[in-house]
Amino acid sequence: EACRALRRDWCCAYVDYRFENSIAAMAAVALKQVDGPIVPIGVSMGGIVALDIWRQAPERVAAMALFDTDPGADTVERRAKRDTQVKMAMRGNFLELIESQFITTYFFNTCTPKFPDQSLRSTVISMAIDHGAAAYSAQAQALATRPDSWPLLESINVPTLVACGAGDRICLPETHIRMASRLPLGVATFRSIAAAGHLAPLEQPEATGSVLRSWLESLASTK
């Protein structure tokens, strides 16, 4: 949806790297898909991939946007949890895993009786079915073995949007503020999206789209 809305004014490409099992391989797929200067835009794992695009080909990156992401390497505890989740998914309990462990943490204010609403729940389940347990397993491995990109931030010298849902409980807002502070002076733009959790583009598409579009327009105005 975001790509369709932005294509009126910008050349956009959606990169599908669902079966690559490393962040480096995902970034390489993205780099091969398009030519010339690029502006990587990533949500969650996509933001980690965007950082690896910078690691692999900084000369091609004109700017980047990182939504609801975490540049750090996986912790030992998180890797162990991923292993358990992958085993559950591959045993045939993939949808149970999505509903019981992910939907309940993805969104803002999940303690209210009507939350998450059926449309959000259906969207996440549809995405899970479309990708399947094998893709989930590959992506879990990629996240578990990802490099620590905190030191990389200090080398990024292009405009970088750092944005997150104000209620993100997976990649905390404090992490995004720290990311913005680690980028060189004048590079970062930090934005918080109200009433959104980890999947801000799904939960607050208009507000997220407005943040992204305004930032992109600011890039064009400085040329």
Side-chain angles (χ1 to χ4, degrees):
E1 291 296 330
C3 275
R4 280 196 286 270
L6 291 172
R7 279 191 180 115
R8 293 192 299 268
D9 302 301
W10 291 278
C11 178
C12 300
Y14 170 76
V15 183
D16 186 347
Y17 40 64
R18 69 185 68 185
F19 293 113
E20 274 66 36
N21 61 6
S22 75
I23 297 298
M26 293 174 181
V29 168
L31 285 164
K32 289 178 181 177
Q33 184 163 320
V34 292
D35 298 319
I38 55 175
V39 179
I41 300 169
V43 179
S44 190
M45 184 179 71
I48 299 169
V49 174
L51 289 170
D52 214 85
I53 288 173
W54 173 266
R55 179 181 280 109
Q56 293 185 33
E59 71 282 357
R60 290 190 55 194
V61 179
M64 73 173 72
L66 311 173
F67 285 86
D68 298 289
T69 195
D70 185 336
D74 233 12
T75 63
V76 173
E77 294 78 13
R78 188 67 188 90
R79 287 186 186 184
K81 187 174 182 179
R82 287 192 201 282
D83 288 343
T84 300
Q85 291 169 335
V86 167
K87 289 175 182 176
M88 182 177 179
M90 299 307 287
R91 285 198 304 264
N93 303 113
F94 186 41
L95 290 185
E96 179 186 342
L97 171 68
I98 297 300
E99 290 192 304
S100 66
Q101 297 191 37
F102 291 129
I103 287 179
T104 55
T105 58
Y106 277 162
F107 299 108
F108 178 76
N109 201 16
T110 55
C111 60
T112 61
K114 296 181 180 180
F115 207 90
D117 66 38
Q118 190 56 45
S119 64
L120 290 172
R121 181 185 294 274
S122 297
T123 297
V124 172
I125 290 174
S126 177
M127 291 167 61
I129 292 173
D130 179 55
H131 281 69
Y136 170 74
S137 177
Q139 293 177 4
Q141 182 178 345
L143 289 170
T145 58
R146 69 186 187 266
D148 181 5
S149 290
W150 279 109
L152 187 71
L153 296 176
E154 296 176 1
S155 73
I156 297 174
N157 58 3
V158 297
T160 302
L161 173 64
V162 179
C164 65
D168 192 336
R169 291 179 289 153
I170 296 176
C171 298
L172 302 177
E174 304 94 273
T175 299
H176 293 79
I177 294 170
R178 183 183 167 206
M179 286 168 60
S181 71
R182 291 284 292 271
L183 290 161
L185 186 65
V187 163
T189 298
F190 171 73
R191 293 290 183 267
S192 176
I193 300 164
H198 185 60
L199 299 180
L202 284 181
E203 197 167 4
Q204 297 295 342
E206 291 186 7
T208 304
S210 177
V211 165
L212 180 57
R213 180 171 286 275
S214 295
W215 177 74
L216 289 169
E217 289 173 349
S218 75
L219 299 180
S221 68
T222 59
K223 290 183 178 179

